Amino acid sequence: DQHGTAIVATAALINALKLTGKQMDGIKVIVNGPGSAGTAITEMLLGAGVKDLIVCDEHGALCPGREKMDGHKEKLSLMTNVRKEKGRLEDVIAGADVFIGVSAAGVVSKDMVRTMKKDAIVFAMANPVPEIMYEEAKEAGVMATGRSDCPNQINNVLVFPGLFRGALDCRARDITCGMKLAAAYGIAGLVSGEELGEEYIIPSAFDERVAKAVAEAV
């Protein structure tokens, strides 16, 4: 479940970056929510080439030595936050290109999004109420949620059964980072350059091409 979310979020980011003309290795990403999905997303984006990524919890940015961090968060802090930024979410989101929320409803305001870089990318994936509502964040750039009633739903059903079909077809013993990244690019590639737009960066969960494309990529 957590890896499916990471794969689809990565696919959506691949296309959002095409739309905004930004590169994976040149963006600042904030991941809010260091739970299972947030951890999988963090690891996947680092594997995809993101260099500047900060993970936040309810107390702010994860940074080595910070108080109120268990072993899991300490490990994440050592993998991320290359500039050792400190402060709350509203502090570190300033100047970010991308916000990915897998946390709680309403933790991001319009004012916070306004401090992000031009052509900001916001994936507010808390359900049923996202970190910021679609219309509020859309003013800043590209927006996606986990909701089915908004454009760009980041739905991990896009990964299955294609991921397992591909693994079975090649008799794989493990699901590797490379296979997950291939799945993300397979999903992203179903949105053509002509179709790509602020309200269409990810295929629909009902797109019958998805399972086959993911299986072949994997």
Side-chain angles (χ1 to χ4, degrees):
D1 190 57
Q2 72 189 90
H3 298 295
T5 300
I7 291 166
V8 182
T10 302
L13 183 58
I14 289 165
N15 280 342
L17 292 177
K18 288 180 193 172
L19 197 58
T20 56
K22 300 181 181 185
Q23 302 298 318
M24 198 73 79
D25 60 0
I27 55 174
K28 177 182 178 181
V29 179
I30 306 298
V31 175
N32 197 56
S36 58
T39 298
I41 290 168
T42 296
E43 292 176 345
M44 181 113 186
L45 292 184
L46 293 175
V50 173
K51 308 290 187 192
D52 187 358
L53 188 152
I54 298 173
V55 182
C56 292
D57 64 7
E58 65 272 28
H59 304 295
L62 301 189
C63 187
R66 197 202 76 179
E67 294 182 355
K68 298 180 180 176
M69 288 205 307
D70 56 24
H72 167 67
K73 292 179 183 179
E74 187 73 37
K75 180 185 173 185
L76 275 178
S77 76
L78 295 171
M79 297 164 52
T80 58
N81 200 352
V82 291
R83 290 189 305 278
K84 305 294 185 284
E85 291 189 42
K86 297 178 181 177
R88 302 191 69 80
L89 174 60
E90 56 265 34
D91 301 316
V92 296
I93 199 174
D97 298 277
V98 180
F99 170 84
I100 298 176
V102 274
S103 50
V107 297
V108 175
S109 67
K110 287 175 74 171
D111 287 340
M112 289 164 67
V113 174
R114 289 190 186 107
T115 69
M116 294 176 70
K117 281 188 183 165
K118 187 176 183 293
D119 297 323
I121 297 165
V122 177
F123 295 170
M125 294 154 55
N127 258 330
V129 182
E131 286 81 0
I132 183 170
M133 296 303 288
Y134 183 87
E135 291 302 329
E136 291 182 306
K138 189 175 177 297
E139 297 173 16
V142 184
M143 171 63 172
T145 70
R147 292 173 61 118
S148 60
D149 59 345
C150 296
N152 300 327
Q153 184 193 21
I154 296 180
N155 187 335
N156 63 17
V157 74
L158 287 166
V159 176
F160 311 111
L163 181 71
F164 293 125
R165 178 72 272 168
L168 290 167
D169 286 345
C170 64
R171 298 178 177 272
R173 293 177 178 271
D174 298 288
I175 305 294
T176 67
C177 293
M179 292 160 75
K180 291 189 289 183
L181 197 54
Y185 275 96
I187 293 168
L190 290 174
V191 180
S192 69
E194 295 75 31
E195 296 171 313
L196 187 63
E198 287 185 5
E199 295 194 350
Y200 187 52
I201 59 171
I202 197 84
S204 161
F206 298 105
D207 189 327
E208 294 182 359
R209 302 172 299 161
V210 174
K212 186 172 185 289
V214 171
E216 288 177 354
V218 169

